[in-house]
Every structure is written in C-alpha cells, then in structure tokens.
Amino acid sequence: MDTLFNTNFENFESSHFEPKVKLRAQTYDLQESNVRLKLTIVNTVGFGDQMNKQESYQHVVDYIDTQFESYLQEELKIKRSLHNYHDSRIHACLYFIAPSGHSLKSLDLVTMKKLDSKVNIIPVIAKADTISKSELHKFKIKIMSELVSNGVQIYQFPVDDETVSKINTAMNGHLPFAVVGSTEEVKIGNKMVKARQYPWGVVQVENENHCDFVKLREMLICVNMEDLREQTHTRHYELYRRCKLEEMGFKDTNPESKPVSLQETYEAKRQEFLGELQRREEEMRQMFVQRVKEKEMELKEAERELQGKFEQLKRLHQDEKSKLDEKRRTLEDEINTFNKKKAAAELLQGQSFNSNTNAKKDKDRKK
C-alpha cells in the first residue's frame, strides 16, 4: 500500500497469535498536485492465523455489512445529508494470494465466495518475484480456472465504455495481477527507481517486464476508481438494501403484482405489529393468570401442610398435657397419702410421749 500510493502509512506490527480476526481501519487525506483523495485502508489482522479457520471470513463479512447498514440508516433519515456523509463502504478488496505456484487454499475460495456479492474483489499474487515467469503464468491460469469452477465472481474491469474498453479488455486478461512492493530506491543507470535488490539482480517495481504493479495502480487509481464506487453502490449496496428491506417486510408489489406504496406497506406493517403486540400481551396476560393460579395452589397446599402440622402439634400438646395432668394427680395423691401417714405417725408419737410422761408421774408419786 505504501508503494501503491507513494506514501508512508502507519504500519503497526501484528502478532500471528490473535484469537480471532480483527479489522483495523485507518483513514488518510492524500493529495497529489490538485487532486485530493480521502483513503480508508482496512487491514484484516490475524486472517488465517487461527487453528480453526472456519469462521475467519465472518468478521470481514460482518464489517462490510456494518458499513452498508450505516449508509442505509443515513439514507432512511428524514433529513439526509449524503452529500457530506463520510462513505465508509468498502469499494475494493485487494485479496492477496500466497505465491505457492500450486492452487488456491480452501480458505481463499470460501472467503472470496462469501465476499463476491458484497465487495469488488481484485485478486493479487503477492511477492511475485519468488517464482519464475513460467510458473507464474501457469499459476495465474490455475487461479482463474479455480475461481470460475467454484463460481467466484471477481471484479471485471468494464469494457462497455469505448474510451477504456481496449485497455480494460487487455487488463482483464492479466488477472490476477502479480505484484512486488518496495519503498527502497535503487540506482539503475542514471536514475533512481523503486526496486528490490537481490544478490542475483534487481527487481524493479515499476518495470512491467518484472511485475504487474503498474497495471494494478493504473487500473485501480487512474482508470476504474469511479467504476469501483459505482459498482459498490449500484450492485453490492443495492443487493444489501433490497434484502434488508425485504426482511423488514417492505415490498414493491402485492401478491396480485400490483404496485404498493410505502404508506400502504407502513400501515400494513403497523397493523401487523399492533396485532402481534396484542397477541403477545394476551399471551403474557394468560401466562400471568396461569402463574397466579399456580402460585395460589402452591400457597393453599403450603397452608394445608401448615394446618396439618398445626393439628398434629396440637394433638401432641394435648397428649402431653393429659400425661402431665395424670402425673400431677398421681403426685397429689402420693402427697396426700404421705401427709396422712405423717399425721398418723405424729399422732402415735404424741400418744406414746404422753403415755411415758404419765407413767413417770405415777412412779414419782409412789416414791
């Protein structure tokens, strides 16, 4: 990207041990001569690094849908300001392919298949100087064959405009572009050029005999930038918008194929919503009544259990009271019997004492 736009973007090194894919978006204001460009670069950090790659593409799809949703919400506002709205939709996806020389990975095919209806995909073979020209040519043919056989729709440069028809037709035959990037300058002859220098020679980035970097830059920035934006709006965004509105119940025609106005659709959805609301309210009311009845039954059952326990305790109390009364009566009888015996014993003791006293008096008199 630094080479493509001839600038130095902020490059943050990322670990290859991310638990999931993260999308990092950075916006830059670029200017060359009198041309100003607001560029947003979205980097898919950690893509393909996980052990389970089954949902690696889902984070990318969700991000693209989020940008579409933001634009749709702005479009549906009563007071719209689309003329100064920052369009964050993704207009081009440079899908970098590893220069293996064999075939596409399953992850590449699945991801591009999921993305082709949401973004303009431009396949790019990265580090193209690592394989020979003959291998590169075969690799390009192999990639395009696999894309076609798997039904992947990549972005095709438009050929309906006569002014760019010839060059775009030629460029479509060069897809996927094989590129080499470098910000280092090497002196070749009497001029400095961007290149990568190796012990065996120099690979010039802007030399079309060495790589397709110039073709990519020209097609992406100079010739087809507006078409990429138009394709995003008229094809990908419109597909998202149509599906989203259909999910919300909006249709252009009724079952009889007659046009339906937005007001009619709104009123129908409003009545449907009110009916659904009343149905849910009735369900909640019935559920509330049912729960109240269940709670009342639980309380009554608990009351019966408590009443039974109370009666049982009451009987136990009466039984204990009866036993205590019986013991009290027995004890009172024993006390009365003891008192009687005591009184009798005291009476006998008194009589014996009197007898002894009288006998002593009689004896004294005799003396």
Side-chain angles (χ1 to χ4, degrees):
M1 298 306 295
D2 290 350
T3 314
L4 191 63
F5 291 95
N6 194 27
T7 187
N8 291 318
F9 296 113
E10 297 177 2
N11 295 318
F12 298 98
E13 292 187 4
S14 302
S15 170
H16 287 280
F17 300 95
E18 295 288 344
K20 62 180 182 179
V21 180
K22 297 180 181 178
L23 279 86
R24 186 171 61 209
Q26 294 173 286
T27 301
Y28 305 93
D29 290 317
L30 305 180
Q31 183 173 358
E32 184 174 352
S33 299
N34 295 326
V35 179
R36 296 181 62 87
L37 175 65
K38 192 168 188 177
L39 175 69
T40 300
I41 300 175
V42 182
N43 187 21
T44 54
V45 179
F47 180 77
D49 288 339
Q50 294 75 29
M51 291 294 293
N52 184 6
K53 301 177 177 61
Q54 187 173 0
E55 296 184 356
S56 294
Y57 63 85
Q58 191 60 48
H59 298 281
V60 183
V61 172
D62 292 342
Y63 181 86
I64 296 173
D65 285 345
T66 301
Q67 311 316 310
F68 283 155
E69 182 66 23
S70 299
Y71 192 89
L72 178 61
Q73 292 301 322
E74 181 66 25
E75 201 175 43
L76 293 176
K77 285 182 179 179
I78 297 175
K79 293 183 179 181
R80 299 183 299 179
S81 57
L82 293 176
H83 61 282
N84 59 1
Y85 174 75
H86 174 53
D87 188 1
S88 60
R89 295 175 297 180
I90 307 299
H91 299 296
C93 171
L94 297 180
Y95 196 96
F96 288 92
I97 300 169
S100 62
H102 301 292
S103 60
L104 289 171
K105 300 176 182 177
S106 299
L107 177 62
D108 295 332
L109 289 171
V110 171
T111 303
M112 283 193 274
K113 184 63 179 176
K114 293 292 183 180
L115 294 178
D116 63 359
S117 62
K118 296 180 178 296
V119 67
N120 301 312
I121 300 176
I122 302 176
V124 176
I125 301 174
K127 300 180 180 179
D129 54 338
T130 59
I131 53 179
S132 66
K133 281 191 174 183
S134 59
E135 290 174 338
L136 184 60
H137 180 69
K138 293 178 182 178
F139 190 35
K140 284 188 175 186
I141 296 174
K142 180 71 173 177
I143 289 173
M144 295 304 295
S145 175
E146 289 184 343
L147 292 177
V148 172
S149 62
N150 287 276
V152 178
Q153 300 292 327
I154 63 173
Y155 175 73
Q156 293 289 324
F157 302 118
V159 295
D160 51 352
D161 188 350
E162 294 182 357
T163 58
V164 295
S165 175
K166 186 176 180 179
I167 186 173
N168 279 346
T169 302
M171 290 301 106
N172 283 329
H174 286 282
L175 290 173
F177 291 131
V179 299
V180 178
S182 176
T183 56
E184 297 180 4
E185 291 190 347
V186 178
K187 188 174 183 180
I188 304 294
N190 295 325
K191 62 179 181 179
M192 302 295 291
V193 297
K194 289 184 174 64
R196 297 183 68 87
Q197 191 166 16
Y198 296 97
W200 44 262
V202 177
V203 177
Q204 299 179 37
V205 172
E206 296 178 337
N207 188 333
E208 294 191 42
N209 293 323
H210 292 184
C211 70
D212 298 330
F213 177 80
V214 173
K215 297 182 180 67
L216 173 64
R217 183 176 61 189
E218 186 175 358
M219 291 296 99
L220 186 65
I221 302 175
C222 302
V223 181
N224 298 299
M225 180 179 288
E226 288 304 318
D227 184 73
L228 287 166
R229 293 163 62 91
E230 184 180 351
Q231 285 292 320
T232 298
H233 185 77
T234 60
R235 180 187 169 194
H236 304 300
Y237 170 69
E238 282 301 318
L239 177 61
Y240 175 84
R241 177 179 175 275
R242 186 179 72 224
C243 294
K244 194 69 175 180
L245 293 179
E246 286 177 351
E247 287 178 6
M248 296 168 64
F250 291 95
K251 296 181 179 179
D252 295 330
T253 57
N254 59 17
E256 299 176 356
S257 299
K258 294 181 179 180
V260 179
S261 67
L262 181 63
Q263 182 65 24
E264 291 174 343
T265 305
Y266 170 76
E267 287 298 331
K269 294 300 294 181
R270 181 173 178 273
Q271 293 301 323
E272 181 182 348
F273 173 76
L274 291 176
E276 180 69 15
L277 183 62
Q278 291 178 355
R279 185 184 66 80
R280 291 189 178 184
E281 286 180 351
E282 182 63 22
E283 287 181 356
M284 292 180 67
R285 190 182 67 80
Q286 293 293 340
M287 187 181 297
F288 176 75
V289 172
Q290 181 66 24
R291 288 185 177 180
V292 168
K293 289 181 179 179
E294 291 176 356
K295 197 67 178 177
E296 286 180 349
M297 293 178 63
E298 290 178 2
L299 291 174
K300 288 181 180 179
E301 182 66 25
E303 185 180 0
R304 285 194 295 269
E305 290 180 0
L306 288 173
Q307 185 66 28
K309 290 181 180 180
F310 174 74
E311 294 295 335
Q312 184 180 3
L313 291 173
K314 187 177 179 181
R315 288 193 297 270
L316 290 174
H317 173 71
Q318 289 176 350
D319 292 342
E320 291 293 330
K321 185 178 179 183
S322 299
K323 290 179 181 180
L324 288 173
D325 290 342
E326 181 67 26
K327 288 182 179 181
R328 182 175 58 79
R329 286 192 296 269
T330 303
L331 183 61
E332 288 178 350
D333 292 342
E334 290 178 354
I335 291 173
N336 291 332
T337 302
F338 175 76
N339 288 335
K340 288 178 180 179
K341 289 181 179 181
K342 182 181 178 182
E346 289 178 349
L347 179 62
L348 289 174
Q349 186 178 2
Q351 290 177 355
S352 175
F353 179 75
N354 291 332
S355 297
N356 292 333
T357 303
N358 292 329
K360 188 177 180 179
K361 287 180 179 180
D362 290 340
K363 188 176 179 179
D364 291 339
R365 273 198 237 75
K366 287 177 180 182
K367 289 180 179 181

